[in-house]
Amino acid sequence: MKTLRVLLILLCIGFDAFSQQAEPSPFQLAQEAFGQQRWEEALPLLDLWIQGHPTDQEAYWMRGQAHQNESKLEEALGDFSSLLTLNPQFAEAYFERGRVRYQLGHYEPAIEDFENFLKTPPGETNRVLYKVTPGSKGVSEVTTLQTVSAEQAYYHLGLCSIELGEYDFAILYLDEAIALDPEEPDFYAEKGRALARLGDNVPAIEAYELALSLNPDHLPAKQGLALVKTGGDEVLLGQLDQVVAEGSGNAQTYKQRGFYRMSHDQDQGAISDFGLAISLDPDDSESYFYRGKTYSRQKKWKEAEADYSAAISLEPENPEYLLARGQSRYVSGQLEEALADFTQTVVLDPDFASGYYHRGITYQRMNRKPEACRELQKAIDLGMEAAVGVWEKVCKQD
């Protein structure tokens, strides 16, 4: 009987111990809620756990992200800062705190965090970062990563530099990101934004188009491309006017305002602005190119050709500049000179459909039909739809 009583007591003790073992801790419950992205449910559990375990690094890590995803940015900032006080080598925390600081508009401290992240060896490979968008700043969405990578840090450094108006630095950082991951459209879209802010519209357009070639539905790239092609919005014009009025305008200011005016049919103002830009920076080929385009619109072919030639002398391997001068020469009747320019465009870029098209119409005007048809067919083969109608008119057999 005594033996039976002992066995029953042991069984009861064992059951109680099993029950105690089976009951999950607040941290385990928080982990489950966190893994299922139930942030609101995870937060009080983590609060309770941290009260009794104030040095638990993973708890601060999880709570910081839960706060972040609940848009409680100040609380998230406190969590990541506490974590980094406990462990200054927690690399991912620098990255996350940098993102929070970016969203709060603390750009310089955010830059320090991203730079510290790049200098700190990565931690555990199974830490998950959840998607957080930078807010209403009109920039691309931040990618979800299983482990944070250097290209994302460079990308965020670029974003911070754009907000600080340090566009040259932004382009350098974004180029680093592109070198590490050339398939990410966000990187090209933000580079386009930085270039557009500098007034470097041709490379900005190229960057936006590269972003769209990777993702045709990339909204920031679509919006940025539309703004650049129309010279920017009226808010930008007001800012440029204010800078000029304050006497602090530089070559880029005048070039950017000139581009806006050119895009809105304000030809005389555009020519004046491009002239001021050239006087301040005579080595910027774009200012000559844009002034040449404005002169061409006014049918001032001599002035246009002179500006295009100046642009070409500064950037002799730019097919767009050669095409523009060739077009100006074509409409003014200088067919041999125009043909030479169009020929040079396809020498520089054998896939430049517009170069073949313009060679074709120049040959046709020179009554050299076989050469015209050959060039037009080449333009069609490269996907230029405008060449089809001309080919059918000139080359199709009756």
Side-chain angles (χ1 to χ4, degrees):
M1 193 65 156
K2 185 177 180 181
T3 305
L4 180 60
R5 192 180 300 118
V6 170
L7 286 171
L8 286 170
I9 291 169
L10 289 172
L11 282 170
C12 289
I13 292 170
F15 181 78
D16 287 343
F18 176 78
S19 298
Q20 289 173 4
Q21 261 187 345
E23 185 175 341
S25 69
F27 184 68
Q28 290 171 320
L29 292 170
Q31 281 181 310
E32 181 182 349
F34 184 87
Q36 296 175 8
Q37 301 185 30
R38 302 197 310 270
W39 319 117
E40 192 175 358
E41 182 181 332
L43 280 170
L45 293 165
L46 288 166
D47 290 343
L48 180 62
W49 181 258
I50 288 171
Q51 284 176 14
H53 303 80
T55 60
D56 189 324
Q57 296 174 28
E58 290 299 325
Y60 283 107
W61 170 242
M62 288 169 58
R63 192 171 72 172
Q65 287 192 83
H67 276 138
Q68 199 176 2
N69 281 282
E70 285 288 294
S71 299
K72 297 178 177 179
L73 298 180
E74 293 291 351
E75 292 88 340
L77 181 60
D79 281 332
F80 294 131
S81 296
S82 297
L83 171 52
L84 287 165
T85 300
L86 292 169
N87 180 5
Q89 296 302 307
F90 200 119
E92 293 87 347
Y94 284 115
F95 182 84
E96 285 302 284
R97 189 172 70 175
R99 288 210 293 190
V100 170
R101 284 174 161 171
Y102 172 80
Q103 290 176 278
L104 288 168
H106 305 164
Y107 304 121
E108 290 178 349
I111 284 174
E112 290 181 18
D113 278 339
F114 294 127
E115 288 177 342
N116 280 327
F117 164 76
L118 289 168
K119 291 185 285 190
T120 306
E124 299 175 17
T125 57
N126 61 351
R127 286 178 180 145
V128 178
L129 301 185
Y130 289 94
K131 186 173 291 185
V132 179
T133 58
S136 58
K137 297 181 175 66
V139 300
S140 312
E141 193 172 72
V142 176
T143 309
T144 304
L145 296 176
Q146 192 75 13
T147 53
V148 191
S149 48
E151 58 264 28
Q152 282 293 321
Y154 284 118
Y155 169 59
H156 282 78
L157 283 165
L159 293 179
C160 290
S161 297
I162 288 172
E163 296 300 331
L164 289 168
E166 297 173 348
Y167 305 120
D168 288 327
F169 282 115
I171 291 164
L172 291 173
Y173 287 133
L174 291 163
D175 280 340
E176 289 287 342
I178 289 167
L180 291 167
D181 183 2
E183 301 300 316
E184 175 51 65
D186 284 354
F187 300 165
Y188 296 99
E190 297 308 326
K191 182 179 177 181
R193 192 159 68 106
L195 287 162
R197 295 285 178 85
L198 281 173
D200 293 337
N201 296 305
V202 170
I205 289 170
E206 290 172 356
Y208 285 132
E209 288 178 341
L210 281 167
L212 290 169
S213 72
L214 293 166
N215 178 6
D217 297 321
H218 197 279
L219 184 58
K222 284 183 176 180
Q223 292 172 334
L225 185 61
L227 275 176
V228 172
K229 286 188 172 180
T230 58
D233 55 27
E234 291 186 9
V235 174
L236 172 63
L237 180 63
Q239 292 170 344
L240 295 171
D241 285 341
Q242 183 177 352
V243 170
V244 170
E246 292 170 353
S248 54
N250 57 23
Q252 294 295 334
T253 307
Y254 287 110
K255 182 174 73 171
Q256 210 167 0
R257 191 173 70 172
F259 189 84
Y260 179 94
R261 287 173 163 175
M262 179 188 74
S263 302
H264 290 79
D265 298 322
Q266 300 172 23
D267 289 351
Q268 289 308 122
I271 288 169
S272 174
D273 277 339
F274 292 135
L276 287 166
I278 289 166
S279 68
L280 292 168
D281 184 3
D283 294 325
D284 187 340
S285 63
E286 281 192 344
S287 294
Y288 293 102
F289 174 64
Y290 293 141
R291 191 171 69 175
K293 288 186 73 171
T294 312
Y295 278 134
S296 291
R297 195 157 60 194
Q298 294 184 325
K299 297 182 171 53
K300 295 181 178 179
W301 310 121
K302 184 177 179 181
E303 292 89 341
E305 183 177 345
D307 274 341
Y308 291 142
S309 295
I312 291 165
S313 69
L314 292 166
E315 202 173 332
E317 295 190 357
N318 188 319
E320 292 289 346
Y321 292 177
L322 286 157
L323 179 70
R325 188 175 70 177
Q327 290 170 324
S328 179
R329 288 172 165 177
Y330 175 88
V331 294
S332 64
Q334 302 176 67
L335 299 183
E336 292 291 347
E337 293 84 352
L339 185 62
D341 281 339
F342 298 143
T343 298
Q344 188 62 19
T345 66
V346 297
V347 169
L348 291 170
D349 183 359
D351 294 325
F352 192 51
S354 192
Y356 293 104
Y357 170 79
H358 282 88
R359 277 214 303 188
I361 62 174
T362 306
Y363 278 131
Q364 192 271 333
R365 193 170 166 188
M366 297 167 75
N367 296 315
R368 295 167 63 176
K369 182 177 175 179
E371 293 99 323
C373 294
R374 181 191 66 213
E375 299 299 316
L376 291 168
Q377 185 61 57
K378 181 68 174 176
I380 293 168
D381 293 342
L382 289 168
M384 188 172 186
E385 293 182 6
V388 175
V390 180
W391 185 92
E392 289 180 348
K393 182 178 179 180
V394 174
C395 308
K396 194 173 182 179
Q397 299 295 324
D398 294 329

